[in-house]
Amino acid sequence: MTTPTPYYISRKQAHDFLAKFAKALVVSPESNPLLFQVYGFGGVGKTTLLKQVKQTRELQADFAEVSFGRTPGIETPLKLMEKIDQQIGINQH
């Protein structure tokens, strides 16, 4: 497990999210994909929270990440799903 960044400051909402994420990994079998959305105003710590989740759960989960405005080619829901599939390779056999 990677050591979390020393600059991470947890808030109650972030703590709750991390707890729910950890619980979902225990409850959901490996074959069932999980989807969590992180959203909010710019500058509130979304990217930092996601880095924390990835660092603490990198051995337990695979991650795909898209960001409206920064990820090209996700103008429609179908294109968004295709982009996520490219990252995690659900349809690769």
Side-chain angles (χ1 to χ4, degrees), residues 9-10 48 68:
I9 300 171
S10 182
T48 302
F68 292 103

Side-chain angles (χ1 to χ4, degrees), residues 43-73:
V44 297
K46 297 177 301 295
T47 301
T48 302
L49 175 62
L50 291 175
K51 286 180 183 176
Q52 181 73 8
V53 171
K54 288 178 183 179
Q55 287 177 347
T56 59
R57 301 295 175 182
E58 67 185 348
L59 299 177
Q60 297 166 303
D62 295 317
F63 295 90
E65 182 179 338
V66 294
S67 176
F68 292 103
R70 287 193 286 171
T71 305

Side-chain angles (χ1 to χ4, degrees), residues 6-55:
Y7 303 109
Y8 179 73
I9 300 171
S10 182
R11 298 181 181 129
K12 181 183 180 331
Q13 296 89 342
H15 177 76
D16 292 347
F17 176 83
L18 294 170
K20 289 177 184 177
F21 192 89
K23 182 178 179 182
L25 290 176
V26 172
V27 172
S28 181
E30 287 183 24
S31 60
N32 292 331
L34 299 172
L35 174 66
F36 278 86
Q37 299 177 40
V38 177
Y39 59 92
F41 294 107
V44 297
K46 297 177 301 295
T47 301
T48 302
L49 175 62
L50 291 175
K51 286 180 183 176
Q52 181 73 8
V53 171
K54 288 178 183 179
Q55 287 177 347

